[in-house]
Amino acid sequence: VNQQQFGRLRNLKSLPMNERRKGDAMIEHVFETVGNPVGTRSEPRYRATLDQLYVGLNALRPASREYLAHLLKDNDEFEDDGDTWTYAPPPVEVDDQEDDDDLDYDDDE
């Protein structure tokens, strides 16, 4: 592992203990940090090699290659592209209208 090859590792954030127990959350964070962004802003996608994911995951918590393979194969958000893996986070719906319609700010007495 060297700075030039894995320079994005410095951007990994230490997650709270309850999040570190969730393998899917960990690998999603690793994808978003060390993966190459290949999607658009509205539909983000990240691509990373198995080696990048393995090193990134182990920087946050100890894990085997078998555990990493299990996480990648058991989640529909991760796609095997041969030499690389792609992560497509679920789309986030943005509501243009505020939810203030239900609130009454007038002081009617």
Side-chain angles (χ1 to χ4, degrees):
V1 177
N2 61 42
Q3 180 72 23
Q4 188 171 7
Q5 186 180 14
F6 294 99
R8 293 183 182 170
L9 286 177
R10 69 180 177 275
N11 297 330
L12 283 173
K13 304 282 189 261
S14 179
L15 299 176
M17 186 58 75
N18 62 343
E19 289 294 315
R20 280 189 247 171
R21 292 184 181 141
K22 301 175 186 173
D24 291 344
M26 294 291 292
I27 199 68
E28 289 170 4
H29 176 61
V30 170
F31 258 111
E32 292 172 356
T33 305
V34 301
N36 295 322
V38 293
T40 62
R41 185 171 284 217
S42 60
E43 295 178 8
R45 293 173 58 88
Y46 303 93
R47 184 170 292 140
T49 66
L50 191 61
D51 287 338
Q52 289 173 317
L53 296 172
Y54 181 68
V55 170
L57 182 61
N58 275 277
L60 296 173
R61 65 173 271 191
S64 66
R65 286 190 182 269
E66 291 79 19
Y67 180 66
L68 174 60
H70 168 75
L71 289 175
L72 293 170
K73 291 177 184 175
D74 283 355
N75 193 324
D76 293 337
E77 295 173 349
F78 308 131
E79 298 175 17
D80 185 2
D81 296 336
D83 293 338
T84 61
W85 284 84
T86 303
Y87 166 57
V92 178
E93 294 182 22
V94 178
D95 189 12
D96 292 336
Q97 296 179 351
E98 295 185 50
D99 294 331
D100 292 342
D101 296 338
D102 297 335
L103 301 175
D104 186 14
Y105 289 109
D106 296 335
D107 280 332
D108 294 335
E109 292 183 25

